[in-house]
Amino acid sequence: MYIQVVLFDGFDPLDVVAPYEVLYAGGSVSGGQVTVELVSAEGAREVTSGTRGLSLRAVGGIDPERADLVLVPGASGRIGEPGEVPDEDFGTAGQAEDQDEFIPVLLGRTLTTELPTLLEQAMDDPTVTVATVCGGSLILAMAGLLEGRHATTHHMGLDMLDATGAHVVRARVVDDGDLITGAGVTSGLDLALYLLEREMGPRIAHVVEELFAHERRGTVWRALGPEPTSF
């Protein structure tokens, strides 16, 4: 199983590193049956995260024709809307001084790159699974790719996700077939462990779980079984 983890300017490092390490470990304990690489829509380059001073290197470009799974992280930055920044935070050039950018701005900026087109190609291919962590599902949603799909995101972005026509599920991990989404930032660990269990089996996932001393939380939501009644 070949996995590509997407980098874009302003990405959240934990959204990337947590699943990357889990999936890499899955490859180590499965005799190399899982391989994982960092990629970007622009190809090999240094990609600056939303955490000041931290960059990671993409080793190549997103290639839905090669990948079995494409994983999209969220962004790291200020919470809220740009208009909420006090005027005194800005310098004479109109740029925020010593301030991280707002998360919605960072997510929205990806729509001006080739990322949405490449993700659409991946989602149109039934042999490719697309996974997201935190605000990664909002990138798909803003690109018009999640209408009618079951998905989750960080709890602060659920209303935005709902407004795009997605079926919002308040769960830590949501499995909608070839789309698997994770909620808040640390859910990247749970999502990656679930991916190992789903694709490689529970014994591989269990060994990696023990290695990271992390127990998955919550039930992975799937559209299976009887409809629950209201309390």
Side-chain angles (χ1 to χ4, degrees):
M1 180 171 66
Y2 173 49
I3 301 169
Q4 293 193 321
V5 179
V6 175
L7 301 178
F8 58 85
D9 293 319
F11 71 89
D12 187 301
L14 188 56
D15 288 4
V16 170
V17 174
Y20 181 95
E21 286 209 46
V22 169
L23 296 167
Y24 182 87
S28 297
V29 301
S30 65
Q33 294 185 57
V34 178
T35 57
V36 57
E37 290 183 338
L38 300 178
V39 297
S40 81
E42 297 78 19
R45 68 183 182 99
E46 291 291 325
V47 186
T48 303
S49 78
T51 300
R52 194 176 304 279
L54 179 59
S55 299
L56 292 175
R57 178 162 183 80
V59 299
I62 302 168
D63 188 351
E65 293 186 0
R66 289 181 56 222
D68 299 300
L69 188 146
V70 177
L71 190 151
V72 186
S76 174
R78 290 173 63 89
I79 297 171
E81 297 298 329
E84 298 171 9
V85 181
D87 292 339
E88 57 267 25
D89 284 347
F90 287 84
T92 56
Q95 299 293 321
E97 295 179 344
D98 299 321
Q99 297 288 342
D100 295 328
E101 292 194 73
F102 283 87
I103 289 174
V105 173
L106 294 169
L107 295 175
R109 192 172 293 153
T110 65
L111 302 182
T112 66
T113 71
E114 289 298 310
L115 182 57
T117 299
L118 293 166
L119 293 177
E120 184 175 11
Q121 292 176 18
M123 294 192 71
D124 285 344
D125 188 338
T127 67
V128 179
T129 297
V130 176
T132 68
V133 181
C134 200
S137 58
L138 292 174
I139 293 175
L140 295 175
M142 289 188 295
L145 301 176
L146 289 193
E147 187 171 355
R149 301 299 300 266
H150 295 95
T152 191
T153 189
H154 190 283
H155 67 273
M156 296 186 72
L158 289 173
D159 288 343
M160 181 178 177
L161 184 62
D162 180 68
T164 67
H167 297 310
V168 172
V169 182
R170 291 179 177 271
R172 193 162 172 82
V173 176
V174 174
D175 183 339
D176 196 39
D178 59 358
L179 172 69
I180 305 175
T181 54
V185 194
T186 57
S187 67
L189 289 168
D190 294 0
L191 178 134
L193 285 167
Y194 174 67
L195 289 172
L196 287 180
E197 179 182 5
R198 192 179 99 147
E199 303 297 332
M200 302 300 300
R203 291 191 292 182
I204 295 295
H206 181 254
V207 167
V208 176
E209 187 177 72
E210 285 196 313
L211 176 65
F212 281 80
H214 174 78
E215 294 184 0
R216 278 167 37 197
R217 292 168 45 197
T219 299
V220 174
W221 187 95
R222 294 186 292 166
L224 298 174
E227 286 278 353
T229 59
S230 299
F231 288 106

